Amino acid sequence: MDGRWQAYGAFTGQDRTVDYARTVVPVVERLVDGPVSQYGVLAAESVHQWTVGAQTARPAMLLGGRQHQVRLGVDVSGAGLTSTDAFSGAVGELLDGRPARIWQFRAPSSASHRHRVIVAGYASDAIVLGPKLTLDAGLKFDLAHGAADGATQGITWPSLLPHAYLRWVMTDGGTSLLLGYQRTAYRL
């Protein structure tokens, strides 16, 4: 890049419906079928996710006798989930072929609406240490916020996320060894 900003964006969405008319009262063998709690999240859903951002790489410069390539960027992303018509009813659980318990699920009386937004800014510097050795170090600030409609409160947390990678090009064909560290944050 030559110092100009590049912008990008994306959107994806999906709708899922569940036909309970065809659902037989399930009996689950815990050791084979997994946890019964999966029926508690069975619902019609509408999910969407989006992201927009911009980034730039400054022209390479010499600083302290070493070549530096500085990159800057910002991302904003969001997602939403609406769940309706959740499963209501009984699920029988077997454990090793023997009746263990009956789970009773009750659908909420209204739709569930959840959403999140993440804003992040980052800067990094690729420093040429030698003809075949480069250090890439940077820092990202990440601010995440999520909430569910009707909840007493949402959740917001900021994170500072450093990274450092050392790349050694071992052969003329480009075979490289990459050693690195990166701190990441849990996504809502």
Side-chain angles (χ1 to χ4, degrees):
M1 296 175 87
D2 60 3
R4 291 183 287 185
W5 284 87
Q6 294 179 334
Y8 54 88
F11 176 86
T12 186
Q14 176 182 357
D15 293 322
R16 177 179 76 174
T17 59
V18 180
D19 185 2
Y20 293 117
R22 290 195 218 168
T23 304
V24 178
V25 174
V27 175
V28 175
E29 170 53 66
R30 173 70 176 211
L31 298 177
V32 175
D33 301 321
V36 178
S37 58
Q38 63 189 340
Y39 287 91
V41 297
L42 188 60
E45 294 180 333
S46 178
V47 180
H48 68 273
Q49 186 168 327
W50 57 268
T51 187
V52 295
Q55 62 184 359
T56 187
R58 308 307 304 166
M61 62 182 161
L62 281 178
L63 184 63
R66 303 212 183 269
Q67 182 177 329
H68 291 255
Q69 177 76 52
V70 176
R71 291 183 308 279
L72 306 169
V74 63
D75 292 319
V76 181
S77 64
L81 166 71
T82 299
S83 298
T84 59
D85 302 324
F87 175 76
S88 283
V91 176
E93 179 183 16
L94 302 176
L95 186 59
D96 198 22
R98 296 181 183 174
R101 59 182 70 82
I102 295 175
W103 293 67
Q104 185 67 44
F105 294 95
R106 188 176 0 197
S109 58
S110 62
S112 171
H113 304 281
R114 300 163 191 254
H115 46 86
R116 69 144 168 91
V117 174
I118 299 173
V119 178
Y122 56 90
S124 67
D125 187 5
I127 307 164
V128 177
L129 301 175
K132 296 187 174 203
L133 195 60
T134 303
L135 173 67
D136 188 323
L139 185 64
K140 177 179 180 182
F141 175 75
D142 193 87
L143 181 64
H145 174 76
D149 291 358
T152 55
Q153 67 181 25
I155 184 169
T156 300
W157 74 73
S159 301
L160 282 176
L161 308 170
H163 80 259
Y165 303 105
L166 189 61
R167 177 186 217 89
W168 173 36
V169 180
M170 300 185 308
T171 68
D172 292 336
T175 303
S176 298
L177 176 65
L178 181 68
L179 301 172
Y181 165 82
Q182 180 173 353
R183 182 171 177 232
T184 61
Y186 182 76
R187 291 185 64 175
L188 290 176

